[in-house]
Amino acid sequence: MSTADTGTRTRRTPGLVPVTETLSTVERRPEEPSDRPAPLAPQAGRRAGAFWRLLVSELSLTFHRPRNLAMLAALATVPVIMGVSLRLFAGDDQVGGMIAAVAGNSLMLTFLALSALVLLMMPIAVSVVAGDALAGEAGGGTLRYLLAAPAGRTRLLAVKYLNAVVYAYAVTAVVALSALVTGLVLFPAGDVVLLSGTTVTMTDGLLRIALTVGYVGFALSAVAAVALAISAFTEVPIGAIAGTVVLIIACQVLRAIPALEAIAPYLLPTRFTGFDAVLRSPIDTGALTEGLLTFGAYIVMSLSIAWAHFTGKDVTS
Amino acid sequence: MTTVAQEAGAPTGAAPPSDPGAAIVTSGLTKRFRGGQTAVDALDLTVPRGSVYGFLGPNGSGKTTTIRMLLGLITPTGGTCSLLGLPLALALPRVGALVEGPAFYPYLTGEANLRRFDAADPTASGATVRRRVGEALERVGLTAAAGKRYRNYSLGMRQRLAIAAALLGPRELLILDEPTNGLDPQGTREVRALVKEIAAGGTTVFVSSHLLAEVEQMCTHAAIMRTGRLVADGTIASLSGGLATRVSVETPDAADAARVLAALGLADVRSAAGAVTAELGGHAPERVNAALVGEGVAVRGLAVVRPSLEDVFVGLTGEGFDVDG
């Protein structure tokens, strides 16, 4: 018994309460009740605190893992490469459309980068985190100890999903920020000419970027829900990750087949680039809403499947 | 442990019981896996509070499946089980568990791993986690390795860390599945001492093992499993008491000795070349010896053989056991 000996222990000796308690010992007092078993019916506040604590633990695990940080770093470099190469070729008169728009305004690079990366790279990054969420714990055997702690199956599922959502928004924010900074450094700032030809102020442009980040983050949250659902069914994380990525690519292929046009609106990737609605004036809220509803439907459906399976699953790993 | 620490209620000591009943009760507990294999078959088990309960059986006899059902990791296909007389979600924070070997995050340190599992317990407080993790690590002798990544831990250190994780809070019940697996003899002794120390504090310990000697040394009670069924249970004394204490006489005059023993009224006299054994019953061994010598039997050795759990097990199942404990 060497650490934290005198401070905490003599204080609790019956009949030995020091008369001159320092402020710090008074502050440490609330620790004591937790030495005893918790009350049979924990209060709602305490329960929320415990949920938050597990979520923080999950987030810290996710954002300390070199793999997850490397994916964020890789995604952050893509807009830089795009910006630099556009800058080098901007003098060329052949270019037009989106690329010309980027060359003309710093904010447009953000939209270009997001629409390029949202199709595959960003979903892959999110699939890695969400697909690993349950399967990784099961494969490593840590799931049985989390559940015996007891983390609670529904609670753990909720924490895992929220964690994946935070990562999805982190991915989106990193790409957007990297593109924004690159754009501001390499291209002229100022009023933004939208796809519909209208010109809006830079502040308005930034607001539209914020809207886009919200939309893309939600799209990736839908990807995360699908990956988490697959993750609940396996103990092999790479299987859950690959499964999600294959699903996304398969949807992209189906979407490209003209004969299957009828099902295209129901495929997740069809809606990924729906944020170009914010580049019109007025903003095409109908298209945005449709996209968000599709994502919402995928989230509800996938989480229901994940919950139904995970809460009744035998954990034998 | 100083007296002061005891009075302060060290978190690894016993927690006041939430229910005066048994620590573990199972009734008709059954698990049939898909594919038809019955891993646990109608298990009725009652683990009294304050006992150190050995859960014995060869590998594959359903011990781990039973423990997984107790902890809510797998759903029974029949019967019920309860811990501490509470609903599972309320019972588990009072239960420390080691299930089928250690499992941790290899890229985290030992300390960070314990913090992670502590965060999963909704009743544990983040304000005290530092102290509780420190004490749990100290209890298993891992303080020096607290900052080392789990990846670099030896097998014995991993096992200790798993035991530390089971001791993160005040526990009324510890469920330890093969706690000495992978430990060297010194580590095994330490775990046994730790289990005794924890039990002395009033915590019920349920420990599974395939090592008979280990259970005999640590436990007050035991249950013996075989192919998913309970074949015997009770206190160690009552289990061994089921078999009689025997006297074994080493002598060149086996036939004479057998006659004398039978004349004394000893039951089940068996003679072999150079040795005779019989159930001692209520006879004093020294009297038996005097009678033998008095009748002119050359006694080279006389021993009282008390039955071990292994004899009980072999008697019950006709099966041998891994006894390299």
Side-chain angles (χ1 to χ4, degrees), chain B residues 74-272:
Chain B
I74 62 182
T75 318
T77 45
T80 57
C81 58
S82 82
L83 299 179
L84 306 169
L86 292 170
L88 192 65
L90 294 179
L92 284 180
R94 298 150 184 265
V95 177
L98 168 67
V99 198
E100 227 177 329
F104 291 96
Y105 304 87
Y107 47 88
L108 294 184
T109 65
E111 190 188 2
N113 265 299
L114 293 190
R115 282 166 172 272
R116 162 72 173 161
F117 288 109
D118 192 70
D121 177 356
T123 65
S125 159
T128 55
V129 65
R130 193 187 184 85
R131 180 173 54 78
R132 286 182 295 112
V133 164
E135 283 174 4
L137 285 169
E138 187 176 330
R139 201 120 196 229
V140 298
L142 278 182
T143 308
K148 209 166 142 179
R149 279 179 202 275
Y150 178 73
R151 178 179 297 139
N152 302 323
Y153 274 29
S154 70
L155 190 57
M157 289 163 83
R158 292 175 178 200
Q159 192 78 5
R160 284 156 195 255
L161 190 65
I163 295 174
L167 297 174
L168 276 174
R171 309 296 194 196
E172 285 175 51
L173 170 65
L174 270 190
I175 296 181
L176 303 175
D177 188 8
E178 307 269 5
T180 56
N181 251 8
L183 295 183
D184 55 19
Q186 174 62 20
T188 305
R189 262 196 301 278
E190 282 169 15
V191 165
R192 281 184 200 148
L194 190 59
V195 165
K196 280 183 181 157
E197 185 193 322
I198 292 162
T203 302
T204 310
V205 182
F206 184 76
V207 51
S208 90
S209 180
H210 64 283
L211 304 176
L212 279 161
E214 183 170 289
V215 166
E216 270 187 311
Q217 287 175 39
M218 281 196 292
C219 302
T220 58
H221 294 66
I224 300 175
M225 294 279 286
R226 185 186 171 226
T227 56
R229 286 171 174 276
L230 186 68
V231 291
D233 66 328
T235 62
I236 297 284
S238 74
L239 280 174
S240 315
L243 286 184
T245 304
R246 297 181 72 88
V247 63
S248 163
V249 183
E250 198 184 319
T251 171
D253 314 323
D256 285 347
R259 191 176 39 77
V260 174
L261 292 179
L264 276 173
L266 269 61
D268 193 23
V269 180
R270 295 182 210 163
S271 52

Side-chain angles (χ1 to χ4, degrees), chain A residues 1-4 8-10 12-14 31-32 34-42 46 50 53-54 57-58 61 65 137 140-151 153 155-156 160 312-317, chain B residues 1 4-5 7-9 15-16 31 33 68 71-75 86 89-90 92-94 97-105 107-108 115-129 131 135 138 170:
Chain A
M1 288 291 150
S2 56
T3 54
T8 47
R9 282 195 185 123
T10 49
R12 270 178 277 149
T13 310
E31 293 180 6
E32 291 192 20
S34 57
D35 271 6
R36 291 166 205 121
L40 288 187
R46 170 127 205 196
R53 191 172 166 227
L54 183 55
S57 159
E58 193 67 41
L61 219 55
R65 251 187 116 161
E137 303 273 10
T142 44
L143 183 60
R144 63 175 184 265
Y145 284 112
L146 287 176
L147 293 180
R153 297 194 183 208
R155 207 168 72 104
L156 185 61
K160 289 287 185 186
K313 184 188 187 184
D314 278 352
V315 177
T316 52
S317 60
Chain B
M1 280 288 161
V4 175
E7 279 168 3
K31 180 64 186 184
F33 283 111
R68 282 181 182 271
L71 295 173
L73 295 176
I74 62 182
T75 318
L86 292 170
L90 294 179
L92 284 180
R94 298 150 184 265
L98 168 67
V99 198
E100 227 177 329
F104 291 96
Y105 304 87
Y107 47 88
L108 294 184
R115 282 166 172 272
R116 162 72 173 161
F117 288 109
D118 192 70
D121 177 356
T123 65
S125 159
T128 55
V129 65
R131 180 173 54 78
E135 283 174 4
E138 187 176 330

